[in-house]
């Protein structure tokens, strides 16, 4: 019913656009309009659409609050507010046909009846008012189609407002995410000492399910988890930096134009492969390869979950970031510098080493930092290829765990949302977020600095 | 003046992909003289200049045939190394392009590359000599280790000349070296060219007729990829043989 109302209002808006535009067109035949007919159409459509939709939405939410209050009375004898809420939801679900479950409570069926009749009359009223408002506004808007009406300016203002709103939304959402993360983290730190978390060497959240162990400190020491993340990310950088750098040098300095235009998009496609695919690649191809290799040297020494496997695959994943960004940075070096060096009798590799790389150094380092922060936050590959055991080690052939793996482990399955164990996931995420934020800020600053150098 | 042939261009044709840019160029360039190349935009002056130190090699689609002899050797022979050639034939570009390094390192760049200096002291003296020869040393001696990009446009251009001199070239190619400079900086560069020609063979591309008349001994006029005429500058300007040359220097084309 409500859907149809929304659709009807939308249809009216379209109708308003068409009719007012055509009215403006016929007006334009006799005189010079201030605004093009298109703007009159848009203006009148928005003029009726926005108020009508706002009314509908407001009405609906107020109605929900009021009806909830009304049927709450039927469960006045219950003290537990959570239970009351559950009953109210059951009433709503039952009335709207979502569920057929009947609650064993004397107030339930009367409440359902009351709710149904309330919503029914309300809906009818709502539809009549909304459509009525639309039609009135439509009629009003027809009067605005005149020679001197500045529809174009109003429409321009409207779009500016829309864009502002979108930017605000983006920022608000980001801030919201950070805040929700922050609150859960603070809740966690109210249970566990922040220093034990940041500097503790022992990570075993599973044991903390039992109440007597929550208090036993040391099981939430995040160091091994972060050490694992760093270890795997460093291995990834070891793989990705040389390959990414060399391929970028080849692409930007040596490759003929045709090769470059062909190869660069392909490398950038690599960046779009879903990471779960890399995970498969790690498990199916890379892990057996390393295991066989390890067996030749020391049988059984290498498990399928070594840091080196996840790290290598993650390295492959971040190669395109380094290649693409470094290539951009090197290409941004003015070609006059390259020519100048070559004209001095330098070879291309000398020119690259002595002129191009120093000139694009900020950009190159920025690409490393961005790739590193990508590696730190990567989840799917490590979930599939790294282990869950939080060993504190620098040995790449041992199994380590990462922050993201732990978060996934802590939050999957049935979890209670106020145990220290679950909340520790938020603390981990928050620290991780903070780390990548710092890396990104540094990287973006470097990019900016080196842009300033050449523009 | 004893005349010695330094560069001899014979039947040179240059193509960018399928498009011919130079048609059958024949030109002799004498040692320790300034030769200027003039002509309307797009006539192939830069292309001809770049053939002389094989900078055209860097353009994939560029191909050439014909002969360019420097000191009696064809520079396009397969056994000729373009990298060595370029240390013998220096180049100064239209826009000053100092490297993002210190003034000292800009000048020391070539000598280090080619292993010219045996010691730090020798390198220092090469840098100082080159900067002095480019008429820049007095202005920058107190800030040799500051970035070369911090100099004024005219100073940057002289730095680029010093940089080219530091590798000990015999020939210096200049592609409109003053087009980005103001009249005072231009006068300085022209003065410098006058001095440099006692030691170096200079080929300069210029859009300014006055500049060609002021600095060059010989002038070659090009039009649509062809060399129309060449000869002593004073003859070209006072008594051009071709109508096109006449039109160009009197400002009717270009
Ligand atoms: N890299 C290139 N690729 C394709 N064509 C080129 C290239 N460089 C030059 N050309 C062409 O060759 C011709 C000669 O160009 P060139 O740069 O030598 O002219 P120019 O006399 O130096 O002109 P200007 O006085 O404007 O510098 C032009 O038609 C130009 O379009
Ligand atoms: Mg040119």
């Amino acid at each position: 019913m409500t859907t149809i109302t929304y659709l009807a209002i939308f249809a009216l808006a379209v109708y308003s656009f068409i009719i007012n535009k055509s009215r403006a067109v016929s007006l334009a035949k006799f005189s010079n309009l201030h605004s093009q007919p298109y703007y009159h159409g848009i203006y009148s459509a928005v003029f009726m659409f926005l108020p009508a939709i706002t009314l509908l939405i407001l009405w609906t939410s107020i109605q929900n609050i009021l009806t909830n209050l009304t049927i709450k009375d039927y469960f006045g004898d219950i003290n537990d507010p959570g239970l009351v809420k559950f009953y109210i939801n059951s009433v709503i679900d039952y009335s709207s046909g979502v569920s057929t479950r009947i609650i064993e409570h004397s107030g339930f069926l009367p409440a359902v009846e009351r709710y149904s009749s309330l919503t029914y009359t309300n809906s009818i009223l709502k539809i009549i008012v909304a459509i009525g408002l639309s039609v009135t506004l439509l009629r009003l808007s027809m009067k605005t189609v005149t020679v001197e009406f500045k529809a174009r300016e109003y429409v321009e203002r409207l779009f500016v407002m829309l864009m502002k709103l979108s930017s605000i939304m983006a920022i608000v959402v980001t801030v919201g995410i950070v805040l929700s993360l922050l609150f859960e983290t603070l809740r966690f730190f109210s249970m566990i000492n922040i220093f034990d978390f940041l500097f503790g060497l022992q990570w075993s959240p599973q044991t903390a399910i039992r109440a007597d162990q929550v208090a036993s400190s040391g099981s939430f020491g995040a160091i091994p988890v972060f050490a694992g993340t760093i270890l795997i990310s460093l291995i990834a950088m070891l793989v990705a930096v040389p390959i990414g750098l060399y391929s970028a040098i080849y692409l930007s300095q040596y490759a003929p134009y045709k090769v470059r235009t062909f190869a660069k998009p392909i490398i950038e496609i690599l960046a779009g492969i879903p990471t779960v695919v890399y995970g498969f690649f790690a498990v199916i191809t890379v892990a057996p390869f390393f295991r066989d290799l390890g067996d030749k040297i020391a049988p059984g020494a290498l498990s399928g979950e070594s840091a080196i496997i996840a790290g290598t695959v993650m390295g492959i994943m971040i190669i395109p970031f380094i290649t693409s960004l470094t290539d951009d940075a090197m290409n941004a070096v003015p070609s006059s510098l390259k020519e100048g060096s070559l004209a001095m009798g330098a070879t291309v590799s000398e020119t690259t080493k002595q002129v191009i790389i120093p000139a694009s150094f900020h950009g190159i380092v920025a690409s490393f930092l961005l790739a590193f922060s990508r590696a730190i936050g990567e989840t799917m590959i490590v979930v599939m290829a790294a282990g869950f055991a939080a060993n504190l080690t620098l040995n790449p052939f041992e199994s380590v765990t990462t922050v993201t793996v732990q978060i996934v482990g802590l939050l999957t399955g049935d979890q209670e949302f106020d145990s220290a164990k679950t909340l520790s996931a938020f603390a981990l995420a928050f620290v991780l977020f903070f780390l990548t934020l710092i890396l990104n800020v540094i990287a973006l600053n470097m990019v900016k600095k080196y842009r300033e150098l050449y523009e | 003046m004893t005349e010695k042939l330094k560069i001899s261009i014979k039947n040179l044709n240059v193509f960018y992909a399928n498009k011919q840019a130079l048609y059958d160029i024949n030109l002799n360039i004498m040692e320790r003289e300034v030769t200027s190349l003039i002509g309307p935009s797009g006539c192939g002056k830069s292309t001809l200049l770049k053939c002389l130190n094989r900078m055209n090699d860097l353009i994939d689609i560029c191909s050439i045939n014909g002969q360019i002899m420097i000191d009696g050797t064809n520079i396009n022979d397969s056994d000729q190394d373009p990298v060595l050639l370029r240390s013998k034939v220096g180049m100064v570009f239209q826009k000053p392009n100092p490297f993002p390094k210190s003034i000292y390192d800009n000048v020391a760049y070539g000598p280090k590359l080619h292993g010219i200096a045996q010691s730090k002291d020798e390198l220092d003296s090469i840098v100082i000599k080159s900067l002095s020869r480019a008429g820049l040393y007095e202005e920058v001696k107190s800030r040799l280790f500051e970035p070369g990009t911090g100099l004024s446009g005219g100073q940057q251009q002289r730095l680029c000349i010093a940089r080219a001199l530091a590798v000990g070239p015999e020939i210096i190619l200049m592609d409109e070296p003053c087009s980005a400079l103001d009249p005072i900086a231009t006068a300085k560069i022209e003065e410098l060219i006058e001095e440099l020609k006692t030691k170096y063979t200079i080929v300069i591309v210029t859009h300014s007729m006055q500049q060609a008349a002021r600095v060059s001994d010989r002038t070659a006029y090009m039009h649509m990829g062809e060399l129309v005429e060449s000869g002593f500058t004073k003859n070209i300007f006072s008594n051009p043989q071709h109508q096109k040359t006449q039109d160009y220097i009197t400002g009717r084309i270009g």
Side-chain angles (χ1 to χ4, degrees), chain B residues 16 19 21 40-47 59 61 176 207:
Chain B
Y16 289 110
K19 188 172 155 283
S41 184
C43 69
K45 304 179 296 290
S46 300
T47 302
I59 303 169
I61 55 171
E176 304 182 39
H207 265 134

Side-chain angles (χ1 to χ4, degrees), chain A residues 336-337 341-342 344-346 354, chain B residues 83 86 97-98 101 109 113-114:
Chain A
S336 65
L337 286 185
S341 168
L342 293 171
M344 302 279 309
Q354 312 248 356
Chain B
V83 167
R86 288 179 202 142
N97 56 350
K101 298 168 180 285
Y109 183 74
L113 219 54
H114 299 290

Side-chain angles (χ1 to χ4, degrees), chain A residues 181 203 406-407 410-411 420-430:
Chain A
L181 207 53
W203 179 265
Q406 287 306 314
I407 293 173
L410 291 167
L411 294 184
K421 180 195 159 199
T422 321
L423 288 175
S424 69
F426 292 98
L428 286 178
F430 186 75

Side-chain angles (χ1 to χ4, degrees), chain B residues 87-111:
Chain B
S87 65
K88 184 171 161 183
V89 185
M91 190 164 197
V92 176
F93 295 82
Q94 177 169 2
K95 245 181 81 196
N97 56 350
F99 302 133
K101 298 168 180 285
S102 71
I103 295 171
Y104 182 96
D105 285 335
N106 260 283
V107 184
Y109 183 74

Side-chain angles (χ1 to χ4, degrees), chain B:
Chain B
M1 190 154 43
T2 57
E3 291 201 341
K4 188 169 163 256
L5 187 60
K6 186 73 180 172
I7 307 172
S8 149
I9 303 165
K10 288 202 188 98
N11 306 332
L12 179 70
N13 290 287
V14 177
F15 303 83
Y16 289 110
N18 297 322
K19 188 172 155 283
Q20 189 157 6
L22 293 181
Y23 296 86
D24 206 29
I25 305 285
N26 287 285
L27 180 66
N28 287 337
I29 291 167
M30 300 300 157
E31 186 164 48
R32 291 175 202 202
E33 279 191 6
V34 178
T35 303
S36 60
L37 302 178
I38 61 171
S41 184
C43 69
K45 304 179 296 290
S46 300
T47 302
L48 178 58
L49 201 68
K50 279 192 255 170
C51 286
L52 301 181
N53 66 346
R54 289 183 60 178
M55 284 297 276
N56 279 340
D57 289 11
L58 305 172
I59 303 169
D60 292 328
I61 55 171
C62 183
S63 61
I64 80 173
N65 65 56
Q67 236 186 9
I68 300 173
M69 311 287 280
I70 294 184
D71 293 331
T73 328
N74 186 350
I75 60 168
N76 290 311
D77 273 353
S78 52
D79 62 340
Q80 292 293 306
D81 181 359
V83 167
L84 281 183
L85 171 73
R86 288 179 202 142
S87 65
K88 184 171 161 183
V89 185
M91 190 164 197
V92 176
F93 295 82
Q94 177 169 2
K95 245 181 81 196
N97 56 350
F99 302 133
K101 298 168 180 285
S102 71
I103 295 171
Y104 182 96
D105 285 335
N106 260 283
V107 184
Y109 183 74
K112 275 185 189 162
L113 219 54
H114 299 290
I116 290 171
Q118 305 303 326
S119 64
K120 179 85 176 69
D121 288 345
E122 203 181 331
L123 190 61
D124 286 350
S125 80
I126 290 177
V127 170
I128 293 173
K129 205 167 74 191
S130 308
L131 282 171
S132 316
R133 224 174 249 166
L136 189 61
Y137 184 62
E138 287 305 317
E139 289 162 60
V140 300
K141 64 181 174 193
S142 60
R143 45 172 173 151
L144 282 180
F145 296 97
E146 284 169 34
T149 42
L151 297 172
S152 76
Q155 288 173 326
Q156 287 189 13
Q157 195 60 301
R158 277 179 283 148
L159 177 63
C160 292
I161 294 176
R163 186 174 76 183
L165 296 180
V167 276
E170 296 165 18
I171 301 165
I172 300 170
L173 310 174
M174 300 182 170
D175 195 348
E176 304 182 39
C178 303
S179 63
L181 305 182
D182 63 58
I184 294 169
T186 301
K188 277 210 164 135
I189 303 272
E190 287 182 10
E191 237 172 75
L192 181 60
I193 292 173
E194 203 63 35
E195 272 171 49
L196 291 175
K197 94 179 184 192
T198 57
K199 276 205 77 189
Y200 306 92
T201 305
I202 296 172
V203 185
I204 177 172
V205 170
T206 175
H207 265 134
S208 149
M209 242 64 68
Q210 291 88 338
Q211 185 168 60
R214 278 195 302 263
V215 302
S216 65
D217 304 292
R218 286 168 202 265
T219 297
Y221 173 68
M222 298 175 66
H223 189 88
M224 312 247 318
E226 291 181 51
L227 188 82
V228 178
E229 71 176 290
S230 67
F232 286 113
T233 302
K234 51 181 186 294
N235 293 345
I236 297 271
F237 278 90
S238 61
N239 186 18
Q241 300 297 306
H242 283 77
Q243 186 60 39
K244 278 181 194 157
T245 321
Q246 165 103 39
D247 289 348
Y248 182 71
I249 58 186
T250 53
R252 246 171 285 167
I253 46 176

Side-chain angles (χ1 to χ4, degrees), chain A residues 286-307:
Chain A
V286 181
F289 170 77
F290 273 108
R291 207 168 35 229
D292 293 348
L293 200 74
D295 279 347
K296 284 195 188 107
I297 302 162
L302 197 70
S303 82
E305 292 183 339
S306 316

